[in-house]
Amino acid sequence: MNWCHYRFRSVWELPAPPDAVYAVLDRPEEYPAWWPQVREATRLDEHSGTARVRSFLPYDLVVTLTERRRDPVARVLETALAGDMEGWARWTLTSPGAGRTRVLYEQAVDVRRPLLRRLALPARPLFRANHALMMRAGRRGLAAHVRTV
């Protein structure tokens, strides 16, 4: 088993129409306004940017994101990740009913930061819990944000 490889999957149910949620997720440079653990996000050009994230544990991860798929009709956003983590992340939005959105977030990454690689085995449960806390805060922040948009 590669202890530096992680796969994550989160499902969020939001009381907002899918197109409204997609519009927010399609502007990653604005994530810090509603997602506390996304400390910085900067667009480099139309298809790429950088982000600095930090959850409960005292370390920042810096990644470069490059668009792989941007499909407003299918409501899918997918990006390649490079830097402290390498891999991909994808948002897929569906509508379970009128005015509601089911958000599926999937991510597959390999940790590249040397300290995190050394701690991969003993700290794996902490890293997974750290990610879960970040995703919970993201869901709450996005739900509140789309109510005000």
Side-chain angles (χ1 to χ4, degrees):
M1 176 173 189
N2 178 356
W3 294 103
C4 296
H5 181 78
Y6 293 85
R7 285 193 69 95
F8 298 106
R9 183 178 190 277
S10 297
V11 178
W12 303 346
E13 299 285 337
L14 300 175
D19 289 337
V21 176
Y22 183 92
V24 173
L25 293 174
D26 193 30
R27 295 188 303 272
E29 68 278 7
E30 296 177 16
Y31 283 25
W34 55 267
W35 199 337
Q37 290 79 10
V38 179
R39 305 300 173 100
E40 294 175 25
T42 305
R43 192 173 282 277
L44 298 174
D45 58 37
E46 186 180 341
H47 302 286
S48 66
T50 61
R52 182 174 61 87
V53 297
R54 181 179 186 158
S55 191
F56 178 74
L57 295 176
Y59 62 84
D60 291 355
L61 293 174
V62 178
V63 292
T64 299
L65 303 96
T66 304
E67 178 183 303
R68 289 188 357 180
R69 181 175 179 196
R70 184 180 188 192
D71 187 340
V73 174
R75 297 186 189 111
V76 175
L77 294 163
E78 185 173 323
T79 185
L81 305 172
D84 289 339
M85 296 183 297
E86 292 184 1
W88 58 269
R90 178 174 49 235
W91 298 105
T92 305
L93 284 61
T94 57
S95 179
R100 300 199 55 81
T101 302
R102 180 181 183 266
V103 178
L104 171 62
Y105 178 80
E106 299 169 282
Q107 182 181 39
V109 294
D110 290 300
V111 176
R112 295 291 179 220
R113 193 165 175 185
L115 176 61
L116 300 181
R117 290 181 69 80
R118 284 193 297 276
L119 296 173
L121 181 58
R124 189 172 181 86
L126 288 173
F127 294 162
R128 293 190 69 77
N130 194 59
H131 186 270
L133 290 171
M134 179 175 172
M135 296 308 292
R136 185 180 328 160
R139 181 191 50 78
R140 283 194 306 256
L142 181 57
H145 185 74
V146 295
R147 280 195 290 269
T148 64
V149 174

